Amino acid sequence: MTHLSEGRRRGRPDITHLFLLTALESIVNKQGQLNILIHTRHDKVITVNPKTRIMRNYERFLGLLEQLFEEHVVPDRKQPLLLLRENISLKQVIEQQQADFVVALSKDGKPVVLQQYFKKLKKQNTHHLLFLIGGFPSGQFHTDINTIATEVISLYPEMLPAWTVVSEILVNYGNMCR
Amino acid sequence: MTHLSEGRRRGRPDITHLFLLTALESIVNKQGQLNILIHTRHDKVITVNPKTRIMRNYERFLGLLEQLFEEHVVPDRKQPLLLLRENISLKQVIEQQQADFVVALSKDGKPVVLQQYFKKLKKQNTHHLLFLIGGFPSGQFHTDINTIATEVISLYPEMLPAWTVVSEILVNYGNMCR
């Protein structure tokens, strides 16, 4: 995650930073309705405690990630905010979550209007939703998402940054729950 | 804006940075429906060209702001992306916009559900909306917003960061326009 040798498809910590600042500070998260997992292409998985307050300063965030990659938990085992596990494929992470419905986001997916999409899911009584958002600056998922996701949807015909996608999802999800 | 001597009410460039990354990368902005103005407590106003792509790197963003405060326009006069004007009060900025409806956001405002709020505004045929979002880490607006805004609303009983507020507004505004 912190090395960029394999080019632009690789996830980047600046995107992860902006993603976490958006997701953790959302109303849906403040209401306790969100769980965040980060999967890296080296099959590492970071579990993010919803109560984590990520520092706005990017250099300090990088320092936190370095500490996490060394110690596998930060700040400590008693009150883990970020927890790192290794050798877990994307498919395995998703299976472990036992979600009712797995939605992957891709500009090439089925175009949907999220507001209506959530209404449909609510009618279908899907409770535990899992959204899969790519954190790379361009390109596709490394894994074939069609084999993992129940559905692949598109919010916009062009690439959107991960934090725009998560905002769209969380604001519309919050609306549905009201 | 870059000096913090007057304490926590003062706007901070890290908040402005996250705010701009969120607002400029939103679907509503990509569809050409957004104009952003930043007003500082020293009565400086920055007009942001909607086509601006703000750098994700905070240090480089600070460099851009420094250049803007020196030269009053970046990158140059021919294609201004950020434009700085001086000695304009918040009241004056808002009057110049000639909005149909000015909504200020405050945790102490009237609690609303944005989805319904936008439906109401649409019925009232308000076309040119102006939203006033505080960019300070805590405290209130310096100016009495009740004398400036048509209405003061609250999205959540606790303080929310500016980028969460702008996400809520832009996603719900986008939904209304579909």
Side-chain angles (χ1 to χ4, degrees):
Chain A
M1 211 161 135
T2 49
H3 301 279
L4 294 165
S5 55
E6 286 185 61
R8 288 179 62 79
R9 189 178 55 205
R10 172 179 294 281
R12 287 190 339 206
D14 60 340
I15 297 176
T16 307
H17 186 224
L18 292 166
F19 174 87
L20 286 176
L21 281 167
T22 304
L24 290 168
E25 296 276 13
S26 67
I27 293 178
V28 162
N29 187 53
K30 285 172 194 284
Q31 291 175 330
Q33 296 174 290
L34 181 64
N35 276 305
I36 303 167
L37 291 161
I38 299 162
H39 180 264
T40 79
R41 57 178 295 154
H42 291 300
D43 284 342
K44 296 181 196 287
V45 174
I46 303 168
T47 306
V48 183
N49 184 324
K51 299 210 187 303
T52 309
R53 296 209 61 183
I54 288 294
M55 48 280 273
R56 293 175 189 180
N57 183 289
Y58 180 58
E59 298 303 321
R60 286 180 56 210
F61 175 68
L62 285 183
L64 187 79
L65 284 190
E66 274 170 28
Q67 196 193 335
L68 177 68
F69 277 76
E70 272 170 28
E71 300 174 16
H72 286 210
V73 60
V74 288
D76 54 55
R77 296 234 162 252
K78 275 187 189 163
Q79 287 183 305
L81 291 178
L82 303 182
L83 190 73
L84 180 77
R85 292 174 295 154
E86 293 179 309
N87 300 317
I88 306 173
S89 70
L90 184 58
K91 197 178 167 76
Q92 285 171 319
V93 188
I94 288 170
E95 281 168 0
Q96 285 172 5
Q97 294 306 304
Q98 302 189 301
D100 296 341
F101 208 86
V102 179
V103 185
L105 279 293
S106 163
K107 74 172 173 51
D108 304 316
K110 182 180 84 171
V112 302
V113 174
L114 267 185
Q115 201 178 6
Q116 291 159 16
Y117 191 71
F118 274 118
K119 277 185 191 158
K120 195 187 77 180
L121 290 178
K122 198 176 182 179
K123 270 192 191 158
Q124 291 173 353
N125 261 330
T126 45
H127 290 292
H128 186 180
L129 291 169
L130 191 153
F131 287 90
L132 191 57
I133 301 170
F136 21 80
S138 62
Q140 295 295 326
F141 285 93
H142 198 224
T143 315
D144 179 7
I145 47 173
N146 290 294
T147 65
I148 291 179
T150 323
E151 202 156 32
V152 184
I153 66 169
S154 166
L155 306 185
Y156 195 66
E158 293 164 28
M159 282 279 279
L160 295 171
W163 63 93
T164 300
V165 175
V166 79
S167 284
E168 286 284 334
I169 291 168
L170 295 178
V171 172
N172 278 296
Y173 183 83
N175 286 350
M176 179 190 69
C177 295
R178 275 202 182 93
Chain B
M1 210 160 137
T2 50
H3 301 277
L4 294 164
S5 56
E6 286 183 62
R8 286 178 61 80
R9 190 178 53 203
R10 173 179 294 280
R12 285 190 340 205
D14 60 339
I15 296 175
T16 307
H17 186 223
L18 292 165
F19 175 87
L20 286 176
L21 282 167
T22 304
L24 290 169
E25 296 275 12
S26 66
I27 294 179
V28 162
N29 186 53
K30 286 173 193 285
Q31 291 175 330
Q33 295 174 289
L34 181 64
N35 276 305
I36 303 167
L37 292 161
I38 299 162
H39 181 263
T40 79
R41 57 178 294 151
H42 290 300
D43 284 341
K44 295 180 197 287
V45 175
I46 302 168
T47 306
V48 182
N49 184 325
K51 299 212 185 304
T52 309
R53 296 210 61 184
I54 288 294
M55 47 282 273
R56 293 173 189 181
N57 183 288
Y58 181 57
E59 298 304 321
R60 286 180 55 211
F61 175 67
L62 286 183
L64 186 80
L65 284 190
E66 274 170 27
Q67 195 192 336
L68 177 69
F69 277 76
E70 273 170 27
E71 300 175 16
H72 287 209
V73 60
V74 289
D76 53 54
R77 296 234 161 250
K78 273 187 191 165
Q79 288 182 303
L81 291 178
L82 303 182
L83 190 74
L84 180 77
R85 291 174 293 154
E86 293 179 309
N87 300 316
I88 306 175
S89 70
L90 184 57
K91 197 179 168 74
Q92 285 171 318
V93 188
I94 288 170
E95 281 168 357
Q96 286 171 5
Q97 293 306 304
Q98 302 189 301
D100 295 342
F101 208 86
V102 179
V103 185
L105 280 293
S106 163
K107 75 172 173 50
D108 304 316
K110 183 180 83 170
V112 302
V113 174
L114 266 187
Q115 201 177 5
Q116 291 159 15
Y117 191 71
F118 274 118
K119 278 185 190 158
K120 195 187 78 180
L121 289 179
K122 198 177 182 178
K123 271 192 193 158
Q124 290 172 355
N125 262 328
T126 45
H127 291 291
H128 185 179
L129 291 168
L130 192 154
F131 287 90
L132 192 56
I133 302 170
F136 23 80
S138 62
Q140 296 294 326
F141 285 93
H142 198 226
T143 314
D144 179 7
I145 46 172
N146 290 294
T147 64
I148 290 179
T150 323
E151 202 156 31
V152 183
I153 66 170
S154 166
L155 306 186
Y156 196 66
E158 293 165 27
M159 280 280 279
L160 294 172
W163 63 92
T164 300
V165 175
V166 79
S167 283
E168 287 283 335
I169 291 169
L170 295 179
V171 172
N172 278 296
Y173 182 82
N175 285 350
M176 178 189 70
C177 294
R178 275 200 182 96

